[in-house]
C-alpha cells in the first residue's frame, strides 16, 4: 500500500456551492474531500488546500463507475481514468481549472448523479517533497531526464494515449535502475522493464 497522511481530523468546508468534509495536510499538499453531489454542472466544492490542486483523483462511492483523474498539465477539459487505459476524455471539471479554494464539477467527472456520495483526493506539488507534472518522451529507450529536485519514493505515469498507468517505488526496488512496475489499471503481477 502507498499512503498519504491528510489532516488529523475532518472539517466542514463551505467554500463551494456544495458543502464538503475535508481532511487536509497543507504542508504535504494533500487533501481528502467527501461530498454529496447535486447533479449540476458548474457546482463547486472546497478542497481545503492553500494552492490549486495539480492532480485530482475522484470516485463516485455509490455507483460502479470509473476513477476520474485530472492533471493540471493535461488541462481541465481533458480527463483520464485511473482504472482504464483510455486516452484523454473531454468534459472534465466543467472545463474549469481548479482554484486555490475550489474545484468546479462537470456532470461527467464522477458520474455526478444528484444525491451520490463522492470522494476526491487532491494534490499539489511541494518543493523538495512532491512533483506533479508532465514531460514529453524522446523516443529513446533511456528516455528524457526529468528533474524533480529530490529523489522520489513513488512515481506514477501514463501517456495521454491508450496506455497503462505505471507505478514505480523505492520499497520494492531499492536501487537504480528501478524497473519493477505495477499497473494501476490492471490486475497483472509485478512486471519489469
Amino acid at each position: 500500500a502507498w499512503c498519504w497522511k491528510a489532516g488529523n481530523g475532518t472539517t466542514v468546508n463551505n467554500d463551494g456551492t456544495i458543502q464538503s468534509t475535508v481532511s487536509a495536510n497543507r504542508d504535504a499538499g494533500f487533501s481528502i474531500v467527501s461530498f454529496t453531489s447535486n447533479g449540476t454542472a458548474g457546482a463547486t466544492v472546497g478542497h481545503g488546500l492553500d494552492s490549486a490542486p495539480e492532480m485530482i483523483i475522484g470516485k463516485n462511492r455509490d455507483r460502479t463507475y470509473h476513477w476520474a483523474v485530472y492533471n493540471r498539465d493535461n488541462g481541465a477539459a481533458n480527463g483520464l481514468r485511473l482504472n482504464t487505459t483510455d486516452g484523454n476524455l473531454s468534459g472534465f471539471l466543467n472545463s474549469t481549472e481548479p482554484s486555490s479554494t475550489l474545484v468546479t464539477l462537470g456532470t461527467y467527472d464522477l458520474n455526478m448523479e444528484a444525491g451520490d456520495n463522492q470522494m476526491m483526493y487532491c494534490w499539489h506539488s511541494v518543493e523538495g517533497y512532491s512533483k506533479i507534472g508532465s514531460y514529453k518522451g524522446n523516443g529513446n529507450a533511456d528516455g528524457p531526464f526529468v528533474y524533480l529536485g529530490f529523489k522520489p519514493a513513488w512515481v506514477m505515469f501514463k501517456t495521454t494515449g491508450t496506455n497503462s498507468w505505471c507505478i514505480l517505488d523505492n520499497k520494492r526496488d531499492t536501487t537504480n535502475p528501478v524497473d519493477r512496475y505495477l499497473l494501476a489499471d490492471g490486475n497483472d503481477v509485478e512486471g519489469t522493464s
Side-chain angles (χ1 to χ4, degrees):
W2 303 287
C3 304
W4 283 262
K5 175 70 174 154
N8 289 324
T10 59
T11 59
V12 173
N13 185 306
N14 289 306
D15 289 343
T17 59
I18 298 174
Q19 184 181 74
S20 60
T21 302
V22 177
S23 180
N25 183 339
R26 289 183 168 185
D27 292 337
F30 174 63
S31 68
I32 301 171
V33 182
S34 63
F35 62 96
T36 302
S37 56
N38 63 12
T40 304
T44 56
V45 175
H47 54 69
L49 297 174
D50 53 7
S51 294
E54 297 169 87
M55 183 167 179
I56 300 170
I57 298 177
K59 178 78 171 87
N60 183 319
R61 294 176 18 202
D62 289 339
R63 300 177 190 268
T64 55
Y65 199 66
H66 301 288
W67 288 80
V69 179
Y70 157 81
N71 179 291
R72 177 196 63 197
D73 290 351
N74 202 25
N78 299 307
L80 297 167
R81 293 176 175 162
L82 184 62
N83 58 305
T84 74
T85 61
D86 293 345
N88 275 337
L89 303 164
S90 60
F92 271 51
L93 301 184
N94 209 42
S95 297
T96 306
E97 295 295 329
S99 74
S100 60
T101 56
L102 298 173
V103 174
T104 302
L105 303 170
T107 55
Y108 179 77
D109 301 344
L110 305 171
N111 196 21
M112 298 298 254
E113 297 290 333
D116 283 359
N117 292 307
Q118 309 284 344
M119 184 69 67
M120 289 190 309
Y121 303 94
C122 303
W123 290 267
H124 67 75
S125 299
V126 174
E127 188 174 346
Y129 176 75
S130 63
K131 182 68 174 166
I132 298 159
S134 64
Y135 70 93
K136 292 197 181 287
N138 60 13
N140 296 328
D142 201 22
F145 176 76
V146 179
Y147 180 73
L148 302 178
F150 59 94
K151 182 179 179 182
W154 183 87
V155 175
M156 180 169 72
F157 61 91
K158 181 192 185 316
T159 68
T160 54
T162 55
N163 289 297
S164 288
W165 293 84
C166 188
I167 301 171
L168 308 164
D169 66 71
N170 69 356
K171 299 302 180 202
R172 292 175 302 118
D173 240 345
T174 58
T175 59
N176 268 332
V178 173
D179 65 357
R180 293 181 186 170
Y181 65 87
L182 294 171
L183 302 178
D185 52 82
N187 60 0
D188 308 49
V189 298
E190 179 181 76
T192 58
S193 174

